Every structure is written in structure tokens, then in C-alpha cells.
Amino acid sequence: MRRIRIFVAYDGTNYCGWQIQPNGITIEEKLNKALNRLTGEDIRVIGASRTDSGVHALGNVAVFDTESPIPPERFSYALNQRLPEDIVVVKSDEVPFDWHPRYQDNISKTYEYHIYNAQMPNPLKTRYCTFVSFPLDIGAMREGAKYLIGAHDFVSFCNIRTNTQDTVRTVYDLTIEKKDDEIVLRITGNGFLYNMVRIIAGVLIRVGRGFYTPEKVKEILEAKVHTSEGATALPNGLVLVKIDYK
Amino acid sequence: MRRIRIFVAYDGTNYCGWQIQPNGITIEEKLNKALNRLTGEDIRVIGASRTDSGVHALGNVAVFDTESPIPPERFSYALNQRLPEDIVVVKSDEVPFDWHPRYQDNISKTYEYHIYNAQMPNPLKTRYCTFVSFPLDIGAMREGAKYLIGAHDFVSFCNIRTNTQDTVRTVYDLTIEKKDDEIVLRITGNGFLYNMVRIIAGVLIRVGRGFYTPEKVKEILEAKVHTSEGATALPNGLVLVKIDYK
């Protein structure tokens, strides 16, 4: 028996998120089925990040245990033959049997939130960007973003349905860049609460629009109450870029 | 009666190209139906470029004639309410009644062909890029591309099913740029034959791979025979960027 780790990229548009559920097709389910077809074993992957319905990934991580003699690095190729085009196993390797993708010291995760900011929508951007038609003030968004960097109780920036007790997280970095009509928020931290990146994106879009002042971000953070869920930005703009294990 | 011009962007993935046909849904058909719902008139648009099945556009152009009192610039908004999300009328204006989108002096058309060049496919790129896993030599591709600039008989670079007599076209510019894992061929000319851009892209990919020398492009051009159709690159990488009327 060996433990194999896989790095998984997917277009989340056609999936009800990562985690298996009764009423829709999920990434986890597709991976389990491909592993079953490949090895004949009843394999259940353990994922690092349970991305929401419609959210994309370039580097989610998962592990599974197998008796298969396939060399660790060959699993990526073998699985890609058995997966739909919108799920790709980018890399595979072997890890120690007690290695768990969620319970590791010094994990850092990087997400990007993509906004298409123009007068008219662009049909080649709708799948991977949220469309915002009113002009966004990048300077104000950056000013608001700086309050979020560091260790904070992010309870104001998570969905009320979260079942986590400890809502303190550390944001290592949060940058906002604009290229042509596309704005990218890139955020790195030691972990993110349920809907946290989408609520941060939504609040910063309100700042960019002038609906909130940059200081309002600090106010929301310090209030420590669930009031910002209405701002939750749409899932299609979100990508889990990578998970680093130090 | 007035003649209205529309600039149309679309994700071609789910369509059998621009032109109406019996066995599939087309962009032209969706526009005609939206215009019918909007005006009550039986309107048929006349398009500038009959893009192939699966090909995208940011700025195709079409005209139609209408008795509707809607102000010319409002047609874009009114049509977008009645079109699927993957077709967007970016702009609309009024043109003289004898203005035809195909028969104008000094038309220039710009296409881009997108290649995702990496070891593993990226599911966030498959819709708008052709995936090439072997490393491409951009220098060699640029060297091959320079033979295509200028006025030439491009019969070697068109599909044999073309029904055009005059196969001379002028390529004003052809650039090849690489950013991260994406290579973009950008080509501007006074017009393009059936499959011409996709065959050029396919031949240049063969050059980049080292399968053809750059000089082979000149040889193919001068041979003036249909031999390169096998190289036709997939439609999903192609975008009609814009049509300029001087």
C-alpha cells in the first residue's frame, strides 16, 4: 500500500464543487471513478480544499492510497486518459503514508479573483471573470485591501454556515493588478474560511465602485459580525492557484 | 427603413459557426431570432465574416434593415437582453442604406490564433487555445512567418472546398508573441481564404516543432497546390479580433 499525491486543475463551471454530494456531479466523484477504472480498487481521494460549485483550480491537492504497481509519477498520465477534458491531473508523486493534505504545518494557499471591468461583457471572459460594468478605482481597492493583510479574526468575511470555531487566519499578501480590462486580486494566506475570498472580492468591488470607503474594510473586519455575505462575489471569478507545503 | 450595423462578440464553442445551416445552431440564426423578438420583423442579418464552427469573435460585423424606431445605439443593449450569454452585441450604429459589410474598399481583418504550449494541458485554457505539448521554437516560427507577409497567391493555404476564384490576398502583418505558456499568432490582412489562418497556424506549429524548416513555408507558398490541409489547426484557438473599415 502506498499513498499517492495528485495536483489537480479543473474548470469548475460544470461541477457542484469538489466535495461529493447527492444532487450533482463533483470533482471528487470524477477522480474516484477514474481511479476505480484505472486500478479496480474502491478508492476515495482526500482533498486539500473543498472548492465551491463553479470555482476553478490550477493546483488543488489530494491524496489516495493504492495497491496498484503503477509508478507514482505515471498516475497523472493514466488518470488524464480517464478524466473529462475539464479536469487534469497536472502532477503525481508518492508521499509518506501519514501525509495529509489538510493537516500540515506551514501551508500557504494562493487564490486569484478575476474581474472583467468594461462597459460591455466579453463572451470570452464570462467563464473565468466576474463582469463589472461600472468603473473600479484600483487605488481605493488597494487601500482597502491593506487592512486585511496580517493575522485577523475574519469572522466578518465568512459565510454564516461555516462550522469552524477558530476564525483567525493570516493573510500573507493581497495584491490587485489591472491589465487591459481585467483586474486580478491575488491573495495568499495560511487558510481561508468558507466564502472568505469571495466576500473579500465582493467588499473590495464595493470599495472600487465608491459605494464603500477604503476604511469601511477595517470597520467590517473589526465589527466581527456576519454582515457582508450580501457582497459575496460570484464563484466563476475564483481560482485556487496553488497550495504550498513548506 | 434604416440600415443598422452591429459589432458582435461570441464564444463559438457551442455554435456551428456563423452561417445559418440546417443541422445546427449558428450565430446568425440567434441574431435573427433576437431581432425578430425585438422588432416583430422578419430580419436577416448580413455578416462580414462567416466564421467556422467553434471559432470565436470579439468584433465580427453585420448589418440589417429595420422599420423599428429604436435609436441605432440602443440596439446593442436591447439585443443583449434577448441573446444567450455567449453572444454579445458590443456596439450598434446606423450606416448608409448601401453600406455592405463585405464589399468595402480597404477592409482589414485581424485574427489571433492562441496556442497553450506546456507539458500538461490547462483546463482553463482548453476552450480558447490549442494545446501543444512539445516545445515550440518561437524564433523559427517567426522566421517562417515572414515569408507570408505581403501580397501572395495563398492557394496552398486554403481549404480545397473554397469556391473563390481569386486566391491572392495581402497579409499586412503577422506577429508571434509568447507570454508564460501561451503563444499568440496575430495576423492582419485585407481578407483571408477558407481555413487560411488555421492552415497558417498549423504550418507554423510544424515549424516551431522542428518538423518543417522555416524555408518550408516559402516552398509551400510557391508550390501553389492544396497540400497543407492536413496541418489545419483546431478551430478553438482562433478569434476574429476586429474588422477595420478605412
Side-chain angles (χ1 to χ4, degrees):
Chain A
M1 198 72 128
R2 287 174 310 164
R3 178 157 284 198
I4 304 294
R5 174 170 66 174
I6 53 176
F7 296 80
V8 193
Y10 45 87
D11 177 333
T13 310
N14 298 323
Y15 297 96
C16 294
W18 174 274
Q19 196 171 15
I20 283 188
Q21 52 149 286
N23 302 316
I25 298 164
T26 66
I27 311 293
E28 189 181 1
E29 182 185 337
K30 286 288 185 187
L31 288 169
N32 290 349
K33 283 190 177 163
L35 279 163
N36 175 259
R37 280 198 295 277
L38 177 62
T39 65
E41 300 170 275
D42 180 22
I43 291 176
R44 315 276 167 102
V45 300
I46 303 168
S49 274
R50 299 182 190 121
T51 53
D52 279 350
S53 183
V55 171
H56 317 292
L58 287 173
N60 205 343
V61 174
V63 294
F64 59 88
D65 300 329
T66 179
E67 306 272 9
S68 159
I70 296 170
E73 72 282 5
R74 296 298 303 170
F75 272 99
S76 58
Y77 293 92
L79 284 169
N80 289 337
Q81 307 300 319
R82 290 157 178 86
L83 284 166
E85 203 181 42
D86 51 8
I87 304 177
V88 174
V89 175
V90 179
K91 198 182 129 186
S92 55
D93 57 15
E94 188 173 349
V95 287
F97 205 74
D98 61 351
W99 195 90
H100 190 289
R102 286 200 296 277
Y103 311 123
Q104 295 293 323
D105 291 338
N106 303 314
I107 291 182
S108 104
K109 292 185 181 181
T110 299
Y111 280 90
E112 282 181 359
Y113 196 88
H114 292 246
I115 301 161
Y116 185 71
N117 188 29
Q119 275 196 293
M120 279 287 176
N122 176 339
L124 305 189
K125 297 288 183 182
T126 43
R127 214 169 161 95
Y128 308 117
C129 295
T130 278
F131 172 59
V132 176
S133 63
F134 37 80
L136 294 176
D137 178 344
I138 304 290
M141 291 172 79
R142 284 181 180 145
E143 219 184 304
K146 74 180 185 214
Y147 296 112
L148 301 172
I149 294 172
H152 300 284
D153 181 345
F154 280 98
V155 69
S156 306
F157 287 88
C158 83
N159 188 298
I160 201 164
R161 287 182 293 136
T162 189
N163 44 25
T164 313
Q165 296 297 317
D166 177 13
T167 50
V168 174
R169 294 290 183 277
T170 303
V171 171
Y172 302 128
D173 201 18
L174 173 45
T175 60
I176 302 172
E177 298 298 334
K178 179 163 186 173
K179 192 179 174 288
D180 302 325
D181 291 332
E182 200 170 328
I183 297 169
V184 181
L185 280 68
R186 191 176 167 100
I187 187 165
T188 302
N190 66 348
F192 295 94
L193 302 167
Y194 185 25
N195 280 356
M196 178 169 153
V197 182
R198 287 168 56 190
I199 295 173
I200 287 174
V203 166
L204 291 177
I205 288 169
R206 290 185 181 190
V207 172
R209 186 182 183 173
F211 190 71
Y212 285 168
T213 62
E215 294 70 32
K216 175 80 179 173
V217 178
K218 186 166 183 269
E219 237 175 79
I220 292 171
L221 188 68
E222 289 175 351
K224 293 182 192 167
V225 282
H226 288 289
T227 51
S228 297
E229 287 169 22
T232 308
L234 292 173
N236 64 315
L238 188 61
V239 189
L240 168 56
V241 175
K242 60 175 179 170
I243 304 174
D244 286 319
Y245 300 95
K246 296 290 157 57
Chain B
M1 196 74 126
R2 286 174 311 160
R3 177 157 285 198
I4 305 294
R5 175 170 66 173
I6 53 176
F7 295 80
V8 193
Y10 45 87
D11 177 333
T13 310
N14 299 324
Y15 298 96
C16 294
W18 173 275
Q19 196 172 17
I20 283 189
Q21 51 149 285
N23 302 315
I25 298 165
T26 66
I27 312 292
E28 189 181 359
E29 182 186 336
K30 287 286 184 188
L31 288 168
N32 289 349
K33 283 189 178 164
L35 279 162
N36 175 259
R37 280 198 295 277
L38 177 63
T39 64
E41 300 169 273
D42 181 21
I43 291 176
R44 316 275 167 101
V45 300
I46 304 169
S49 273
R50 298 181 190 123
T51 54
D52 278 349
S53 182
V55 171
H56 317 292
L58 288 173
N60 206 344
V61 175
V63 294
F64 59 87
D65 299 329
T66 180
E67 306 271 10
S68 158
I70 296 170
E73 71 282 4
R74 297 298 303 169
F75 272 99
S76 59
Y77 293 93
L79 284 169
N80 290 336
Q81 307 301 320
R82 290 158 178 87
L83 283 165
E85 203 181 42
D86 52 7
I87 304 177
V88 174
V89 175
V90 179
K91 199 182 128 186
S92 56
D93 56 15
E94 187 173 351
V95 287
F97 205 72
D98 62 351
W99 194 91
H100 189 289
R102 286 199 297 278
Y103 310 123
Q104 295 293 322
D105 291 337
N106 303 316
I107 291 182
S108 103
K109 293 185 181 181
T110 299
Y111 280 89
E112 283 182 358
Y113 196 88
H114 292 246
I115 301 161
Y116 185 71
N117 188 28
Q119 277 196 292
M120 279 288 176
N122 176 339
L124 306 189
K125 297 287 183 181
T126 43
R127 217 170 158 94
Y128 308 117
C129 296
T130 278
F131 172 58
V132 177
S133 63
F134 36 79
L136 293 176
D137 178 345
I138 304 290
M141 291 171 78
R142 284 181 180 146
E143 220 184 302
K146 75 179 184 215
Y147 297 111
L148 301 172
I149 294 171
H152 300 285
D153 181 345
F154 280 99
V155 68
S156 307
F157 288 88
C158 83
N159 189 300
I160 200 163
R161 287 183 291 137
T162 188
N163 44 24
T164 314
Q165 295 297 317
D166 177 14
T167 50
V168 174
R169 295 291 182 277
T170 303
V171 171
Y172 301 128
D173 200 18
L174 172 46
T175 60
I176 303 173
E177 298 297 335
K178 181 164 184 170
K179 192 179 175 287
D180 302 324
D181 291 331
E182 200 170 328
I183 297 167
V184 181
L185 279 69
R186 191 176 166 100
I187 187 165
T188 303
N190 67 347
F192 295 94
L193 302 167
Y194 186 25
N195 281 357
M196 180 169 152
V197 182
R198 288 168 56 191
I199 296 174
I200 288 174
V203 165
L204 292 177
I205 288 169
R206 290 184 179 190
V207 171
R209 188 184 182 172
F211 190 71
Y212 285 168
T213 62
E215 294 69 33
K216 176 81 178 173
V217 178
K218 187 167 182 267
E219 239 175 77
I220 292 171
L221 189 68
E222 290 175 352
K224 293 181 192 169
V225 281
H226 290 289
T227 51
S228 296
E229 286 169 24
T232 309
L234 292 172
N236 64 314
L238 188 61
V239 188
L240 168 57
V241 175
K242 60 175 178 168
I243 304 175
D244 286 319
Y245 300 94
K246 298 288 158 59

